[in-house]
Amino acid sequence: MIVAIASEGMRVAQHFGHCEMFTMYNTDTHDYKQLASPEHQPGMLPGYLKENGANVVIAGGMGERARQLFEAHGIKVFVGIDSTIVEAVRLYNASQLSSKGEFCAGHDHEHGEGCHHEG
């Protein structure tokens, strides 16, 4: 299984649609690889990550439309994660990772608006 983590440096990016890269974690081999984030185009990231093997996405914030697109691609989403990449993977592997906060229905993070929901 491949877990795609929206990444800024060594942390989970708080805005998945504009993150600098995706850290792809293979749960079978425990290997990490970096995947460049493509030029931003609304609605294309779910297909891009699916083509690169992702089964799960971990991010800080994400809009409702993006969540629906990931779901349509069969990709499970965890949002509201504010930690290092290593900690997020550790929690995921221990089945202790859970979404915190809400998906944003009033706007779409893929289009650049920030979300200030608390959860």
Side-chain angles (χ1 to χ4, degrees):
M1 180 171 301
I2 303 294
V3 179
I5 305 149
S7 306
E8 295 290 337
M10 299 301 295
R11 295 197 60 81
V12 175
Q14 295 306 295
H15 190 290
F16 102 98
H18 293 281
C19 65
E20 63 184 35
M21 74 182 104
F22 291 92
T23 300
M24 308 297 279
Y25 172 73
N26 185 315
T27 61
D28 296 325
T29 64
H30 305 288
D31 291 329
Y32 292 86
K33 75 174 187 174
Q34 301 300 317
L35 179 65
S37 185
E39 184 177 324
H40 182 70
Q41 296 176 27
M44 67 86 60
L45 282 174
Y48 175 73
L49 291 175
K50 184 67 172 183
E51 288 171 10
N52 283 280
N55 308 99
V56 174
V57 170
I58 297 173
M62 180 181 296
E64 177 62 24
R65 178 174 174 266
R67 183 204 58 82
Q68 291 170 350
L69 291 171
F70 277 113
E71 187 176 274
H73 282 87
I75 298 173
K76 182 172 176 72
V77 176
F78 292 92
V79 295
I81 310 304
D82 185 15
S83 71
T84 65
I85 293 164
V86 171
E87 179 66 6
V89 166
R90 185 191 72 74
L91 290 170
Y92 179 81
N93 284 335
S95 298
Q96 296 176 341
L97 189 69
S98 61
S99 288
K100 296 176 176 82
E102 303 174 17
F103 290 97
C104 302
H107 58 269
D108 189 344
H109 279 259
E110 269 195 6
H111 294 151
E113 297 88 357
C115 179
H116 304 287
H117 290 264
E118 298 292 326

